[in-house]
Amino acid sequence: MHSFASVDFNSVTSIFDWLIGQWWAWAIVGAVVLFFLVIWILPAAKVKASPDHPATGVEADEIALGFLQIVNLPSGYWNDPTASILGDREKKVLVDQWGVHTREEWLANIDRLVTVRRRREMWMLYLAVRSDLADRLGRTPKAKEWLAAIVQEGGDKRDARTFVTSIEYSEAQVRKRVGKDIVTPDVFVRALDGYALGQAVAMTTWGVALGHGDVAEAREIIHRINEEGRPAFTSWIDFGLSYIVGRVMHWSDGNVDEKSFEKFGDGWSDFQAATTAKRNGPWATLSWSL
């Protein structure tokens, strides 16, 4: 290998010889380029469903509400109500993390997720103001309009500005990553319940794996979660946006920036897969209206 000291930059031949001598560096560059070319050319992985459980129909439609949480852990195929791939280690982590040592604790966790989990009264009021304003305007309110409406309703401007900025930043990041053709400009966060509802469905399947309930009971619980949760949303896209933004808002304590979104908004790739028909995404084919 030649050093820079041995290169005569006034001589084309010397420079050429030096470049040839850096074969190891060119090999690394070539490998990196090849890797990214393969990633770019190869089609994205398809979403797989369990052949042992329905992938179409009402039961599949209802469990699909938990898609983002089920595949994120992962605990099984998205349509598997038994969370069949959870091993002993994963089960222990779930039990310790969620405090679901007993059947009663499991059911209490599901109820908490469906009702009060991750809900903050002020955040709900801010989003309600935005939704009302959107209905009056017939379009998505701009940040200044939304903020002014919150202040007019008696909200604290400084606190509201942080919330508004965080929500709009998160929406923009999801839209950018998932695709504007999927998360269109007219879709915006009206509620942050998507995250907790998705977890409630996943928690139901985890309970089956832990022996706290059977499949028949899990199906009944998942049906109730859908009945109570779906009316707050208009589509899978609306729900998925709520899930991702709700997750980021919760774990960042409502102050979202580039760093916190990168850390907690990683579910966007699963969101994209779920809504892509070519990848067999269930949200692309299953109806939102049950």
Side-chain angles (χ1 to χ4, degrees):
M1 181 178 68
H2 300 289
S3 66
F4 277 110
S6 64
V7 180
D8 180 2
F9 286 99
N10 293 314
S11 170
V12 175
T13 303
S14 179
I15 295 174
F16 184 71
D17 290 341
W18 180 84
L19 288 174
I20 292 177
Q22 312 309 307
W23 62 268
W24 56 274
W26 294 112
I28 293 174
V29 171
V32 171
V33 171
L34 180 62
F35 172 79
F36 283 104
L37 278 175
V38 169
I39 294 297
W40 181 66
I41 294 173
L42 287 178
K46 293 185 180 297
V47 176
K48 295 182 180 180
S50 170
D52 300 324
H53 304 283
T56 59
V58 174
E59 289 184 340
D61 202 316
E62 291 179 339
I63 198 173
L65 199 73
F67 179 94
L68 294 179
Q69 182 63 62
I70 290 171
V71 301
N72 180 261
L73 187 55
S75 55
Y77 294 107
W78 68 266
N79 64 328
D80 180 4
T82 69
S84 59
I85 72 169
L86 288 179
D88 292 338
R89 180 179 177 277
E90 289 84 1
K91 290 177 184 178
K92 184 179 185 304
V93 171
L94 280 173
V95 169
D96 293 340
Q97 181 179 351
W98 288 89
V100 287
H101 301 84
T102 66
R103 169 180 167 80
E104 289 70 27
E105 291 173 334
W106 169 59
L107 293 173
N109 260 282
I110 295 171
D111 181 65
R112 182 166 57 91
L113 286 166
V114 176
T115 54
V116 299
R117 177 68 166 173
R118 312 196 194 292
R119 289 183 177 176
R120 303 191 190 189
E121 184 177 356
M122 192 58 65
W123 290 5
M124 294 171 68
L125 290 173
Y126 289 163
L127 291 176
V129 168
R130 187 192 203 187
S131 295
D132 291 341
L133 183 58
D135 292 339
R136 295 201 303 271
L137 296 174
R139 59 172 173 79
T140 305
K142 297 178 181 178
K144 290 183 178 180
E145 295 172 327
W146 182 13
L147 184 59
I150 291 174
V151 174
Q152 188 175 1
E153 291 293 327
D156 179 78
K157 187 174 184 179
R158 182 177 180 181
D159 178 68
R161 180 181 288 110
T162 299
F163 180 81
V164 168
T165 301
S166 294
I167 290 289
E168 291 210 327
Y169 177 81
S170 299
E171 289 173 336
Q173 293 303 308
V174 173
R175 189 169 287 112
K176 175 183 177 182
R177 287 165 167 76
V178 176
K180 294 180 181 179
D181 58 324
I182 296 175
V183 186
T184 54
D186 60 307
V187 180
F188 62 90
V189 174
R190 292 177 180 268
L192 294 171
D193 293 346
Y195 181 33
L197 290 170
Q199 286 190 310
V201 172
M203 174 59 69
T204 304
T205 69
W206 299 339
V208 176
L210 294 172
H212 296 329
D214 58 24
V215 171
E217 182 181 21
R219 294 287 190 193
E220 291 179 3
I221 293 173
I222 292 172
H223 175 70
R224 291 199 300 271
I225 294 171
N226 277 267
E227 279 193 326
E228 295 179 26
R230 287 208 188 203
F233 307 97
T234 60
S235 66
W236 287 114
I237 307 302
D238 185 12
F239 174 78
L241 181 62
S242 173
Y243 179 100
I244 301 295
V245 177
R247 184 172 189 258
V248 176
M249 288 292 288
H250 171 73
W251 292 109
S252 69
D253 199 27
N255 193 358
V256 183
D257 56 17
E258 182 179 357
K259 183 178 180 180
S260 58
F261 187 88
E262 288 296 331
K263 185 175 182 179
F264 304 119
D266 57 313
W268 67 265
S269 58
D270 293 326
F271 183 5
Q272 185 182 63
T275 53
T276 304
K278 289 183 178 180
R279 297 179 62 181
N280 297 334
W283 291 2
T285 56
L286 296 172
S287 172
W288 174 255
S289 300
L290 292 172

